[in-house]
Amino acid sequence: MKTQVGIIGGGPAGLLLSQLLYVNGIESVVLEKHSREHVLGRIRAGLLERGTVQMLQQAGVAASLNKNGLEHDGVELVYKGRNCRIDFFELTGSKMTIYGQTEVTRDLYQAREKTGGRILHKATDVTLAGIDTERPKIQFHHDGQAKTLDCDFVIGCDGYHGVSRAAIPSKVKREYQSSFPFAWLGVLSETPPVSEELIYAYHQRGFALCSMRSKTRSRYYIQVPLDARVDHWPDDRFWSELNTRLPSEAARNLITGPSIEKSIAPLRSFVCEPMRWNSLFLAGDAAHIVPPTGAKGLNLAVSDVRYLSQALSEFYQNKATEGLDNYSQRALDRVWKASRFSWSMTRLLHDFYEDGSAFSNRIREAEFEYLATSQAARMSFAESYVGLPY
Ligand code: RFL
Ligand code: PHB
C-alpha cells in the first residue's frame, strides 16, 4: 500500500488531520488499533475552545456542532463555599462550547466515510521503519495479513500509550513529567445539569466539577485517591459525595439519576520534546498530556493538527519545508503554556493529601482571593481558559 501521509491512531487528532489533508487535496491512510465502536465508546473531553470550533468548521464537520453545541460565557470557581465567577466573554470576547469528544469523533468518521477516506480499524502490531529517511514505512497486521504502508511522512496520533513516540531515539528525545497524587472519578447521567455554566469547586474533601453534554445530560467529576476503584463507588455514594462538595445553591439544584458511564482517570502532566524526528511527527496525546482541570487536552491536539496540516499543505503545494521545520517548536510553545495553566489550575482546586499542608492551603486561599478581587488576575485566567492565540 502507498499513500502520501500515514497516520497512526484514529482518535480526534488522527481523524481531523486526515480530514483537513483531504480538504487540501492530500491523500492519507489512518491505522487504528481498535474498532470504531470501541473508539466511540470512550467518554472523554467536552469543552471546546473557539479556535477548536473554527477548525472543525473549516474541516467541514461542524453541522451537528453548530446545531447542538452549548455556548458558555463564564465559569464559576468555588473555594470552601465562596463563589468567584469568571466571565471570559466579557474579559476576552471568546465563548467556550460544550460538545462531546464522542460526537466530534463520530462527525469526523462520518465525514471521512462520505469522501472515501481510508481508515483501517483493528490494525495491530504497528511498527515504524525508515523514519530517518525520506521513504518511511509503517508495518502492521490487518485482516490476518502482514501489510506495509509506504508514505512520505508518518504522523503519530496514537495517544499516550501508542508506539510512535518510542520510535524517536532516546538520545534526541527528552520527556518531562509530573504526576498528581489523585485521580478523577467521572460520571455521565441522563439528568439536567445543576447550572448553565460549569462549576469548579475546591472543598476540604476534594475537588468537584459540574459539567454537561446537553440540557438533559450531565457530566460530573470528583477527586478520588489514586487507588480508588469504580466498583467502590456505587451511584448513591457518588451523588452523596458530590452533593457534600458543592456550594449549597448548586447542591439544592442537583438532580440525581442512574449513571450511564463511570470511569476513573489518574492525572498527569507530560511533554515529549521534540515533536518531530526526520519523517515522523507527533500530534496530540502522543506527545503531551495535561491534567483535565483546564480542559486543554483535545484542544491542544487540534492546535497541533492545525499547525501540521498547514505545514503539510505548504509542502505539497510548493515544496516549502519551513512549516515542517518549525512544527515542533511552534506546537511546543503552545503546549507548554497550556501545561502551565492546567498545572496551576489543578494546584488551585485539589487537595494534595499532604501532611503539614498549612502553607499550601494558605497559598491556595491567597490565590483564590486574588482571583476574586483582581480583574487582572481574572483576565489572565480567562485568556488561558479560552485558549491562547495560535
Ligand atoms: P486519543 O484520543 O488517545 O487517540 C489515540 C488513538 O490511537 C489509537 N492507538 C493506536 N492505533 C494504532 N496503533 C497503535 N499502536 C495505537 N495505540 C493507540 C487509540 O486506540 C486511539 O484511538 O488521542 P488524541 O487523538 O491525541 O486526542 C486527545 C484527546 O483524546 C485527549 O487529550 C482529551 O480527551 C483530554 N481531555 C479533555 N480535553 C479537552 O480539550 N477538553 C476536555 O474537556 C477534556 N476532558 C479529557 C477530559 C481527558 C479525560 N481523561 C479520560 C484523561 C476529561 C477526561 C476525564
Ligand atoms: C467535561 O465536560 O468532560 C470537562 C469539562 C471541563 C473540564 C474537564 C472536563 O475542565
Side-chain angles (χ1 to χ4, degrees), residues 309-354:
S309 61
Q310 274 170 1
L312 288 165
S313 300
E314 286 159 16
F315 174 81
Y316 282 110
Q317 268 158 27
N318 48 30
K319 289 272 165 240
T321 58
E322 204 188 338
L324 293 174
D325 293 340
N326 293 340
Y327 168 70
S328 178
Q329 195 47 54
R330 225 178 145 196
L332 283 166
D333 184 54
R334 201 165 186 277
V335 164
W336 275 113
K337 287 175 183 156
S339 299
R340 179 208 69 83
F341 174 68
S342 306
W343 184 86
S344 69
M345 202 174 157
T346 304
R347 282 218 72 97
L348 173 69
L349 291 164
H350 292 77
D351 179 6
F352 275 65
Y353 309 135
E354 294 159 332

Side-chain angles (χ1 to χ4, degrees), residues 7-21 28 30-32 34-36 38-48 52 55-56 59 61 99-112 119 121 155-160 283-286 288 296-306 308-309:
I7 300 174
I8 306 175
L15 293 172
L16 178 62
L17 179 63
S18 92
Q19 174 68 8
L20 286 166
L21 293 177
S28 66
V30 177
L31 304 177
E32 166 58 46
H34 292 293
S35 67
R36 178 179 167 149
H38 178 99
V39 175
L40 289 175
R42 297 189 294 229
I43 308 291
R44 288 193 175 176
L47 193 61
L48 310 182
T52 298
M55 279 311 288
L56 294 167
V61 295
Y99 189 72
Q101 178 168 329
T102 313
E103 285 69 35
V104 170
T105 313
R106 180 204 60 205
D107 298 346
L108 284 163
Y109 272 135
Q110 284 173 357
R112 292 312 291 128
I119 302 172
H121 283 283
I155 317 294
C157 296
D158 47 351
Y160 181 70
D285 280 14
H288 42 75
K296 292 285 163 239
L298 175 61
N299 292 298
L300 280 179
V302 170
S303 65
D304 291 349
V305 164
R306 176 191 174 108
L308 197 49
S309 61

Side-chain angles (χ1 to χ4, degrees), residues 44-47 184 198 200 209 211-213 219 221 292-295:
R44 288 193 175 176
L47 193 61
W184 277 17
L198 272 63
Y200 292 86
L209 167 61
S211 181
M212 67 207 74
R213 289 293 173 271
R219 180 71 168 154
Y221 299 96
T293 326

Side-chain angles (χ1 to χ4, degrees), residues 197-250:
E197 294 183 341
L198 272 63
I199 302 175
Y200 292 86
Y202 172 87
H203 187 276
Q204 288 98 319
R205 293 178 64 86
F207 169 74
L209 167 61
C210 303
S211 181
M212 67 207 74
R213 289 293 173 271
S214 71
K215 291 193 169 145
T216 56
R217 189 172 272 204
S218 302
R219 180 71 168 154
Y220 296 109
Y221 299 96
I222 57 170
Q223 172 185 355
V224 290
L226 276 176
D227 59 1
R229 287 177 28 193
V230 167
D231 52 349
H232 292 163
W233 281 93
D235 289 357
D236 287 352
R237 181 178 179 205
F238 175 80
W239 292 121
S240 150
E241 187 62 33
L242 177 66
N243 191 286
T244 308
R245 295 185 192 186
L246 293 182
S248 44
E249 199 196 325

Side-chain angles (χ1 to χ4, degrees), residues 1-3 6-8 29-33 118-129 137-151 163:
M1 280 167 89
K2 206 171 169 351
T3 193
I7 300 174
I8 306 175
V29 173
V30 177
L31 304 177
E32 166 58 46
K33 183 176 170 177
R118 282 193 289 170
I119 302 172
L120 305 186
H121 283 283
K122 299 190 186 169
T124 58
D125 308 320
V126 167
T127 53
L128 284 62
K137 292 177 197 307
I138 309 175
Q139 286 150 342
F140 59 102
H141 282 92
H142 189 247
D143 275 346
Q145 287 175 351
K147 295 185 180 167
T148 299
L149 178 64
D150 292 299
C151 41
V163 292

